[in-house]
Amino acid sequence: MTARIADSSAYAHLWGTDELRQIFEERARLQGWLDVLAALARAQAAEGLIPAHAASVITDELRADRLDLDRIARGTRETGHSTLGLIHELRRMLPEAAGEHVYVGATVQDVTDTWTSVAVRTVGGIVWRDLRRIEERLVELAVEHRETPIAGRTHGQPGAPATFGWKAASWADEIRRHLDRMREGAPRWLVAQLGGGIGTLVAYGDRGLAVRARFAAELGLADPVISWLSARDRIAEFGGLLALITGTLARIGEEVYELQRPEIGELGEPRAAGAIGSITMHHKRNPEGSEHLNTLARLVRANAGVLLESVVSQHERDGRAWKAEWVALPEVCLLAGKALALGVELVEGLEVHSDRMAANLRTHLGDTQNPSDPGFAVEMVDLVVARARRARAEESPSWP
């Protein structure tokens, strides 16, 4: 039984996606930790610190589906240590000759921070994929409606003529900046963590840096150069970017929310079969999708704020900082993943009512000078489209 509505069978679909949940689900997370420990054993064996046979057994035998989660939980509560219950379980699982070589010289944070980097890589791939899909459709809308007249609005009021393609190009250009940030941030975020007690690798003697380099390579991560036990800017930056991305999606959603009001009627969000607008007012077509983008963005910003708080940490290790990330980072990723999935649905199914755009333009700006002149809007659309197409041609469809 869950106490969180975000995990309930009725409402979980509103606060995450199955694809994202598979990353953070308990056994998946534990398997990720075990994969980190197996990579560490292989790196230690390569540097002659543990027997090669022990590393091979550790790699073959560490499977999350063999773990007794209840026993791990009891051990965690009884010892008051974050992973001692897990360590005891691993040593029960492994032959004695291998069990004594598991988790050697590493700390809880080495394991969990490294797994976090692996999780960020997986989440980032989903974010990248969906951002590109959203950008692709927005570019298409910009081209399709390059010259479709619409009333530009400021302070909520009709101001001067523009084109709907110009509006869509503005959205596409913002999405492109997020893609740039994703590409630029990958080398900073996707790094291993291995330092031992305070981060100085003292447990490995003169092989410390070599072990860490091999460990990172085993997992396809970068070597961090220096331990980052108390330097939480990487996680905060990634969470902050997801907050920016969901903010952009909420901006698009807000525009659709407003422009699909019946008295305006210029846009319409896609309507799922069987969807009910209101159980008491059957004539209504509520803007559920565009509205929910705003809700999701608020929650992402709130949890990203917790990640930002963790940047202020103490000495060489501070549990107040990184343990808060255990709660906040999955929330940010799940919520942002749902927002992206919803954003894809919104832009790919967006209804554009150009007749209403033209009618509203005539109604509100018909007596202004040159009411049909959008200025350089069309030329700006062309510039945005060209930039997006050039970038897409040069970059990989996958991330990083």
Side-chain angles (χ1 to χ4, degrees), residues 146-224:
R146 179 174 177 270
E147 298 183 15
T148 300
I150 190 174
R153 294 171 171 88
T154 63
H155 303 282
Q157 303 297 314
T163 74
F164 180 65
W166 178 77
K167 186 186 290 287
S170 170
W171 300 338
D173 198 48
E174 193 165 335
I175 294 293
R176 171 46 52 183
R177 291 194 292 279
H178 294 321
L179 288 164
D180 291 343
R181 294 178 179 108
M182 288 288 296
R183 186 180 60 254
E184 293 160 1
R188 292 191 294 273
W189 307 327
L190 305 184
V191 296
Q193 169 73 288
L194 183 64
I198 64 168
T200 58
L201 287 166
V202 66
Y204 300 122
D206 63 356
R207 310 308 302 152
L209 293 177
V211 170
R212 191 182 67 188
R214 287 185 181 272
F215 172 60
E218 285 281 349
L219 294 164
L221 298 172
D223 190 314

Side-chain angles (χ1 to χ4, degrees), residues 242-265:
L242 294 186
L244 283 173
I245 289 169
T246 54
T248 297
L249 296 175
R251 178 170 90 89
I252 297 170
E254 284 289 292
E255 197 76 358
V256 177
Y257 178 97
E258 286 293 326
L259 296 184
Q260 69 182 324
R261 288 164 49 194
E263 60 268 34
I264 299 176

Side-chain angles (χ1 to χ4, degrees), residues 376-392:
F376 288 99
V378 170
E379 286 82 353
M380 283 188 269
V381 170
D382 293 342
L383 290 171
V384 170
V385 169
R387 176 179 183 264
R389 288 175 171 170
R390 183 170 58 252
R392 294 174 71 86

Side-chain angles (χ1 to χ4, degrees), residues 33-106:
W33 290 4
L34 299 185
D35 291 342
V36 168
L37 290 173
L40 177 61
R42 293 192 299 273
Q44 291 169 338
E47 291 299 320
L49 298 179
I50 69 171
H53 175 69
S56 178
V57 172
I58 289 169
T59 297
D60 292 342
E61 297 295 325
L62 293 191
R63 295 289 178 266
D65 57 7
R66 298 178 56 202
L67 297 173
D68 185 327
L69 298 188
D70 290 336
R71 190 160 54 200
I72 292 173
R74 285 195 302 273
T76 303
R77 288 193 294 269
E78 289 168 1
T79 63
H81 187 273
S82 302
T83 57
L84 198 52
L86 175 62
I87 294 170
H88 289 162
E89 180 72 4
L90 297 182
R91 290 181 175 163
R92 273 189 288 268
M93 286 171 52
L94 294 167
E96 184 176 352
E100 63 179 305
H101 297 295
V102 71
Y103 220 133
V104 174

